[in-house]
Amino acid sequence: MPTTSNRGATLHYETTGEGPTVVFVSDVGYGAWLWGWHHDAVAGPYEALVWDLRGTGESDAPAGPYSVGTLAADLEAVLADHGVGSAHLVGAGLGGMVALRYAHEYSRARTLTLYNTAASGEAVDADALDALALDNGPEASLSGAFSSQFRERATDLVSRITEWREREDATGGAFAAQAGAMTDFEAPPLYEVTVPTEVYYGLSDPAVPTDAAEALARDLPRGTGEAVEGRHCSFVEHATAVTDRLVAFLDEHADD
């Protein structure tokens, strides 16, 4: 796995496939496992790039606080190290905020796909976000991420997700620093983020209210919004339908 560094943190990333680069930016606490379904759908006609946010997986976990600006600068360091001239950004929660900030400050973003993201950290339910931490225990921490129907139906998959989380997820101070970055976020002027953007949001997401995600889609000049059944990881629970839409969106803008 290649590495680069930024502001005192070594950052690990991984790439697969060839073609236009699609970069996945994770949510608070979650490791690269979060993008396994999307990665498989994209890698091939596109280059899929997955990186560990500082505090997560194989990247360093310097003491907080963290900010979305720092995480966007980390992303710029990764893309510069890999020699990426332009990229499609896919971000969830905190990762969606990082993608927004990145698209405003740097020149490489071609499109944005945002899951369960708000334009302001004030809209995020901080208690519900904290409840997603692995420190609360595997079962309790998944209740806000996936519907009860999914957890009861896909027990083998839930067990594998728990194993992946124990290897990769941020815990303790690193989780708190990432959560603080999310709740402290304030988006740049959205009218200045002019790349094509699709916003998806879980209808039962306890951390990011639907009205906040809908407002984000409405306020972006080239934004569209789409509701998905489920909770904070609705885009994983309904990965087949969501990734089909993602690939269609990427294909539509591949020549932009």
Side-chain angles (χ1 to χ4, degrees):
M1 181 184 290
T3 64
T4 188
S5 61
N6 182 59
R7 302 185 187 183
T10 297
L11 306 167
H12 288 247
Y13 64 94
E14 185 172 307
T15 63
T16 309
E18 297 181 357
T21 301
V22 181
V23 181
F24 297 98
V25 192
S26 288
D27 200 356
V28 172
Y30 293 126
W33 67 265
L34 187 67
W35 300 113
W37 298 264
H38 288 65
H39 178 280
D40 289 347
V42 164
Y46 296 91
E47 177 185 57
L49 188 155
V50 182
W51 61 294
D52 293 333
L53 272 63
R54 59 174 61 210
T56 308
E58 296 298 317
S59 289
D60 286 346
Y66 300 170
S67 70
V68 169
T70 296
L71 297 173
D74 288 348
L75 175 56
E76 172 67 4
V78 168
L79 297 187
D81 184 75
H82 190 53
V84 176
S86 63
H88 303 277
L89 306 184
V90 182
L94 171 62
M97 294 174 172
V98 173
L100 278 171
R101 179 70 176 266
Y102 185 88
H104 185 261
E105 292 196 8
Y106 302 93
S107 61
R108 303 180 202 266
R110 296 173 67 180
T111 67
L112 302 179
T113 301
L114 311 177
Y115 301 126
N116 300 326
T117 299
S120 173
E122 292 184 356
V124 176
D125 187 315
D127 291 337
L129 185 64
D130 288 343
L132 297 170
L134 182 60
D135 294 329
N136 296 310
E139 184 173 346
S141 62
L142 287 178
S143 65
F146 298 103
S147 69
S148 58
Q149 294 89 340
F150 176 81
R151 287 180 281 124
E152 292 167 2
R153 180 180 69 249
T155 54
D156 289 345
L157 177 56
V158 169
S159 295
R160 291 200 300 275
I161 288 173
T162 297
E163 294 173 359
W164 298 330
R165 295 185 70 202
E166 290 172 345
R167 289 198 301 266
E168 301 177 17
D169 277 16
T171 57
F175 180 94
Q178 290 184 7
M182 185 170 182
T183 55
D184 287 344
F185 175 70
E186 197 63 42
L190 293 179
Y191 63 84
E192 295 178 354
V193 181
T194 58
V195 297
T197 303
E198 292 200 337
V199 179
Y200 297 86
Y201 50 93
L203 288 171
S204 302
D205 185 353
V208 179
T210 57
D211 58 352
E214 289 170 343
L216 172 61
R218 185 173 58 248
D219 292 342
L220 286 163
R222 300 176 70 184
T224 61
E226 183 75 25
V228 181
E229 291 288 344
R231 296 172 74 75
H232 194 60
C233 288
S234 54
F235 59 97
V236 173
E237 185 166 338
H238 298 284
T240 300
V242 170
T243 56
D244 284 349
R245 289 287 301 271
L246 171 62
V247 172
F249 179 62
L250 295 174
D251 289 347
E252 179 183 355
H253 296 284
D255 297 325
D256 286 358

